[in-house]
């Protein structure tokens, strides 16, 4: 992971109605830090919230980072990018980080909904270089609304499903038969992600990988109690009160842990768990990773019991 750095907007281009790609370069033309398929950056714009955007260019190109942004009605950051950002402008970015890595496999099935193609596009390039089998189920309202469609078609077999054209994806039918040895990667709107999660529940554990743009909905009753956190390396014990996150308690004690989204989506504040059972509330860890209880996202996850021991 790299720290916050200034970047210059080199190029902007329309990829679909309401979707613009932005190429970011170092002001001095220097090479940017390397990254792997699935990685994202935190984009900092003046007087605006920090937002995470997947890198959708070629990982072998170290001269620029490419992101793509869909304009969201009422969205502060996406509105600024679409209406005010222009080539030559300066921004700041932090990263790259990767909470959606491409795990080696002989076969992949990708499911993307609209702008959800962004983390998947570099994966298609990677699978092609690996010589792995790959197929993409691409969902959009209309064909013209599917960003990077031509690029995706040049990398793997693409099945396009358009709701306005009567070809909406039947998720249950598409995932009814388990494909042995195949990993399933999905990114897109929450309804699509939840449908895929439900339809592929019978696939082998570890087969499903998701990149959530927003945190999964969680019951308000979760994590209501207080508990202790033992910081093993710092030799300190902190009380995490009801309504306070572990991350906030650590900061309040002067223990600085990197963070970004603070919604359990980006993975920046991940911390190793040494003892205790975690109530996982993030949108990153798989079922097997949660069961392993080896790590937690301190911004949202809590203790199921009275005590957690963390490697901090």
């Amino acid at each position: 992971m790299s720290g916050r750095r200034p970047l210059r907007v080199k190029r902007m281009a329309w990829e679909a109605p309401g979707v613009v790609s932005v190429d970011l370069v170092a002001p001095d033309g220097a090479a940017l830090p390397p990254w792997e398929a699935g990685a994202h950056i935190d984009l900092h714009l003046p007087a605006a919230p920090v937002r995470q955007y997947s890198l959708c260019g070629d990982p072998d190109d170290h001269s620029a980072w490419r992101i793509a942004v869909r304009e969201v009605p009422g969205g502060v950051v996406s509105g600024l990018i679409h209406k005010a950002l222009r080539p030559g402008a300066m921004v700041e970015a932090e990263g790259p980080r990767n909470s959606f890595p491409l795990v080696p496999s002989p076969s992949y099935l990708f499911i993307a909904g609209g702008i959800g193609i962004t983390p998947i596009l570099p994966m298609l390039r990677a699978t092609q270089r690996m010589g792995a089998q790959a197929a993409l189920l691409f969902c959009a309202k209309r064909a013209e609304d599917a960003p990077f469609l031509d690029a995706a078609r040049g990398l793997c077999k693409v099945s396009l499903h358009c709701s306005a054209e009567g070809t909406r994806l039947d998720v249950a039918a598409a995932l009814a038969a388990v494909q042995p040895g195949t990993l399933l990667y999905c990114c897109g709107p929450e309804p699509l992600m939840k449908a895929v999660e439900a339809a592929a529940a019978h696939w082998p554990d570890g087969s499903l990988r998701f990149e959530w743009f927003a945190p999964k909905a969680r019951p308000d009753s979760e994590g209501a109690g207080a508990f202790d956190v033992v910081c093993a390396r710092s030799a300190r014990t902190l009380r995490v009160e009801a309504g306070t996150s572990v991350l906030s308690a650590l900061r309040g004690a002067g223990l600085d842990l990197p963070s970004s989204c603070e919604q359990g989506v980006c993975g920046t504040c991940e911390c190793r768990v040494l003892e205790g059972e975690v109530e996982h509330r993030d949108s990153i860890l798989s079922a097997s990773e949660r069961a392993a209880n080896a790590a937690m996202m301190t911004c949202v996850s809590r203790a199921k019991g009275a005590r957690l021991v963390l490697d901090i």
Side-chain angles (χ1 to χ4, degrees):
M1 182 185 73
S2 301
R4 190 162 163 175
R5 68 184 61 248
L7 296 171
R8 179 174 59 84
V9 178
K10 180 179 179 181
R11 171 187 171 274
M12 299 179 71
W14 291 107
E15 304 296 345
V19 177
V20 65
S21 63
V22 182
D23 287 3
L24 303 169
V25 299
D28 60 0
L32 294 175
W35 58 280
E36 295 182 349
H40 68 268
I41 59 171
D42 300 340
L43 190 66
H44 298 257
L45 297 179
V50 178
R51 290 289 182 264
Q52 289 78 40
Y53 292 103
S54 298
L55 293 172
C56 58
D58 187 341
D60 286 345
D61 179 7
H62 297 163
S63 67
W65 286 341
R66 176 173 294 176
I67 61 173
V69 181
R70 178 176 69 88
E71 186 170 17
V72 179
V76 174
V77 178
S78 67
L80 280 173
I81 291 171
H82 277 252
K83 294 180 174 65
L85 200 65
R86 294 295 181 266
M90 295 296 297
V91 300
E92 289 189 326
E94 199 169 358
R97 304 183 181 92
N98 200 343
S99 56
F100 191 46
L102 185 68
V103 177
S105 176
S107 178
Y108 299 88
L109 176 61
F110 298 98
I111 301 179
I115 195 65
I117 188 64
T118 51
I120 289 175
L121 192 60
M123 294 183 178
L124 299 181
R125 296 189 178 100
T127 58
Q128 188 181 62
R129 290 167 182 158
M130 291 161 47
Q133 292 185 347
L136 169 65
L137 305 180
F138 201 169
C139 304
K141 187 174 183 180
R142 294 173 296 269
E144 58 266 30
D145 295 320
F148 304 109
L149 177 58
D150 289 342
R153 282 174 166 161
L155 295 167
C156 76
K157 179 183 177 182
V158 177
S159 178
L160 183 62
H161 299 268
C162 301
S163 57
E165 298 170 6
T167 59
R168 182 189 296 271
L169 176 64
D170 185 336
V171 177
L175 301 178
V178 174
Q179 300 180 27
T182 296
L183 293 183
L184 172 59
Y185 280 76
C186 180
C187 184
E190 185 175 2
L192 173 64
M193 304 269 277
K194 287 187 172 179
V196 169
E197 191 173 35
H202 62 292
W203 282 47
D205 187 36
S207 298
L208 281 63
R209 314 274 165 156
F210 295 92
E211 175 84 315
W212 296 85
F213 287 138
K216 294 180 183 179
R218 297 184 292 266
D220 292 338
S221 59
E222 283 190 355
F227 57 94
D228 290 330
V229 167
V230 178
C231 305
R233 283 189 283 120
S234 305
R236 299 180 65 181
T237 298
L238 311 177
R239 186 68 172 170
V240 180
E241 301 292 346
T244 300
S245 69
V246 173
L247 181 63
S248 295
L250 292 171
R251 284 177 175 166
L255 299 172
D256 190 25
L257 193 66
S259 67
S260 180
C261 75
E262 300 192 14
Q263 299 180 87
V265 173
C266 72
T268 308
C269 67
E270 181 175 348
C271 188
R272 193 157 70 99
V273 178
L274 302 179
E275 293 180 32
E277 190 175 1
V278 179
E279 181 187 83
H280 294 286
R281 306 180 70 197
D282 65 275
S283 304
I284 299 173
L285 297 177
S286 66
S288 59
E289 288 170 330
R290 292 182 176 208
N293 204 63
M296 69 178 291
M297 306 305 153
T298 55
C299 64
V300 292
S301 297
R302 303 179 67 79
K304 281 189 177 180
R307 180 174 176 267
L308 283 176
V309 181
L310 302 182
D311 183 23
I312 187 171

